[in-house]
Amino acid sequence: MIKLLSALSLMLAVPAVAQEAPPVAPVAPAAPAALTPAEVYKSQVVCKTEQETGSLVKKHKTCLTRKQWAYVNDQHESYARKMVDDNTSHPSGN
């Protein structure tokens, strides 16, 4: 009787395993649009190490894309120009 039940349960289990859905292959993400060489160059990450003021040993590392570095440089230049313009003595109209 036990053999009959084991055989019966085995026969019922085999079709259930055979009917399982095949594993689904992972879907690859959509390929990004082709970048131009200029866009690739601007998106490259550049790291710069700067000495921390007041210390001989401490350094600070900053990593930005070339486009972000250009923006930072523009901001620094405009700030420096504004400082010079504000502190330059202008001749009076007298």
Side-chain angles (χ1 to χ4, degrees), residues 56-74:
L56 299 175
V57 184
K58 288 185 182 178
K59 295 182 181 180
H60 180 71
K61 184 176 182 181
T62 305
C63 296
L64 299 172
T65 64
R66 291 183 189 273
K67 186 175 181 179
Q68 291 169 328
W69 278 119
Y71 176 77
V72 168
N73 289 337
D74 289 343

Side-chain angles (χ1 to χ4, degrees), residues 70-93:
Y71 176 77
V72 168
N73 289 337
D74 289 343
Q75 292 298 312
H76 288 174
E77 286 178 14
S78 66
Y79 179 73
R81 281 195 191 102
K82 184 178 182 306
M83 291 273 297
V84 169
D85 289 343
D86 289 348
N87 293 319
T88 303
S89 61
H90 299 287
S92 62

Side-chain angles (χ1 to χ4, degrees), residues 2-94:
I2 294 178
K3 289 183 181 181
L4 180 62
L5 288 177
S6 340
L8 184 58
S9 63
L10 182 62
M11 288 174 24
L12 292 175
V14 171
V17 172
Q19 293 177 359
E20 286 183 16
V24 178
V27 176
L35 298 174
T36 64
E39 291 171 338
V40 170
Y41 181 78
K42 289 179 183 178
S43 66
Q44 288 177 339
V45 175
V46 176
C47 295
K48 295 183 181 181
T49 304
E50 300 170 345
Q51 187 105 17
E52 199 167 305
T53 304
S55 174
L56 299 175
V57 184
K58 288 185 182 178
K59 295 182 181 180
H60 180 71
K61 184 176 182 181
T62 305
C63 296
L64 299 172
T65 64
R66 291 183 189 273
K67 186 175 181 179
Q68 291 169 328
W69 278 119
Y71 176 77
V72 168
N73 289 337
D74 289 343
Q75 292 298 312
H76 288 174
E77 286 178 14
S78 66
Y79 179 73
R81 281 195 191 102
K82 184 178 182 306
M83 291 273 297
V84 169
D85 289 343
D86 289 348
N87 293 319
T88 303
S89 61
H90 299 287
S92 62
N94 295 340

